[in-house]
């Protein structure tokens, strides 16, 4: 696993795209602080950049570095969730401008997968995580379902967990600083 993490970090540091297993589905990833890399993800997915992407952090401390004020409720949701849960926060900071939604929010998930946690910890920055498909096409549930355009469009494909079925996309909850909670995807 260490070798795979090191290869990913080399690609991420150079603005490249990786295809990697996450705590949900296989994801296309890049350095969440690199605007050009984020733009490459939008181009590969053929997705409008007004449709925000999710990013992964390794732990609460990294979350707090990239969100102006993390509501207390967020920690309860993270701790009590029985499946991976992405939370949309107000007022992100220190990430690529084109990763931030038009309403000044950012979707972030604290990774629960061992590989993702190690990778993000060692990289020391959030990593974009978006499903490994062209926008509008079905989300691949396993590595074998990922289409050629995505496989050829990334700079590195992680050589782990390729024979495992992945879970389902994460739940998404919007958590505003005024206390409003809205379930976007269960």
């Amino acid at each position: 696993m260490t070798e795979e993490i090191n290869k990913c970090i080399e690609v991420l540091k150079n603005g490249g795209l990786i295809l990697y297993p996450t705590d949900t589905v296989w994801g296309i990833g890049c350095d969440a602080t690199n605007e050009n890399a984020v733009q490459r993800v939008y181009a590969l997915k053929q997705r409008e950049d007004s449709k925000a992407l999710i990013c992964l952090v390794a732990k609460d401390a990294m979350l707090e570095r990239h969100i102006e004020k993390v509501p207390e409720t967020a920690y309860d949701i993270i701790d009590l969730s029985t499946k991976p849960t992405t939370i949309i926060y107000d007022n992100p900071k220190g990430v690529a401008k084109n990763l931030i939604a038009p309403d000044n929010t950012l979707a972030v998930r604290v990774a629960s997968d061992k590989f993702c946690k190690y990778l993000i910890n060692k990289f020391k920055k959030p990593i974009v995580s978006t499903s490994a498909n062209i926008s509008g096409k079905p989300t691949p549930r396993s590595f074998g379902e990922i289409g050629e355009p995505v496989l050829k469009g990334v700079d590195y494909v992680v050589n782990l967990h390729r024979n495992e079925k992945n879970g389902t996309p994460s739940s998404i909850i919007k958590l505003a600083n005024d206390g409003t909670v809205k379930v976007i995807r269960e």
Side-chain angles (χ1 to χ4, degrees):
M1 183 159 62
T2 303
E3 188 180 326
E4 289 298 316
I5 287 171
N6 291 338
K7 286 178 182 175
C8 286
I9 287 173
E10 189 178 319
V11 170
L12 293 168
K13 282 183 176 175
N14 291 313
L17 305 186
I18 61 170
L19 182 61
Y20 66 115
T22 73
D23 46 0
T24 57
V25 296
W26 274 80
I28 300 167
C30 72
D31 176 351
T33 67
N34 181 328
E35 214 166 310
N36 290 331
V38 171
Q39 189 52 51
R40 286 189 60 206
V41 172
Y42 283 121
L44 175 59
K45 284 191 64 90
Q46 299 171 24
R47 182 173 176 164
E48 294 173 40
D49 60 12
S50 61
K51 278 194 83 181
L53 301 169
I54 292 171
C55 73
L56 298 180
V57 295
K59 52 193 170 204
D60 292 352
M62 188 179 282
L63 171 66
E64 291 159 5
R65 277 198 302 276
H66 294 283
I67 300 298
E68 202 170 274
K69 183 183 181 302
V70 178
E72 282 302 314
T73 315
Y75 300 108
D76 294 336
I77 292 169
I78 293 165
D79 292 343
L80 299 172
S81 293
T82 54
K83 71 179 238 182
T85 301
T86 301
I87 300 176
I88 300 172
Y89 297 94
D90 289 338
N91 307 320
K93 60 184 182 179
V95 295
K97 286 181 177 52
N98 54 347
L99 194 57
I100 300 170
D103 64 352
N104 196 33
T105 60
L106 179 65
V108 183
R109 184 166 73 250
V110 178
S112 57
D113 172 80
K114 190 166 120 178
F115 172 77
C116 288
K117 278 178 117 61
Y118 286 174
L119 171 61
I120 298 163
N121 260 329
K122 192 161 182 186
F123 187 54
K124 296 181 173 49
K125 296 182 199 176
I127 296 176
V128 165
S129 179
T130 182
S131 56
N133 60 310
I134 303 300
S135 203
K137 303 278 187 215
T139 299
R141 300 285 183 207
S142 66
F143 180 79
E145 293 178 13
I146 299 170
E148 279 298 307
V150 171
L151 291 168
K152 289 183 172 157
V154 298
D155 301 297
Y156 185 70
V157 180
V158 172
N159 196 14
L160 294 171
H161 311 301
R162 290 190 181 183
N163 297 324
E164 296 173 21
K165 276 277 191 202
N166 281 71
T168 54
S170 67
S171 298
I172 300 178
I173 296 171
K174 188 168 186 172
L175 192 58
N177 284 345
D178 66 4
T180 310
V181 177
K182 182 178 178 188
V183 176
I184 307 292
R185 179 172 72 198
E186 284 189 49

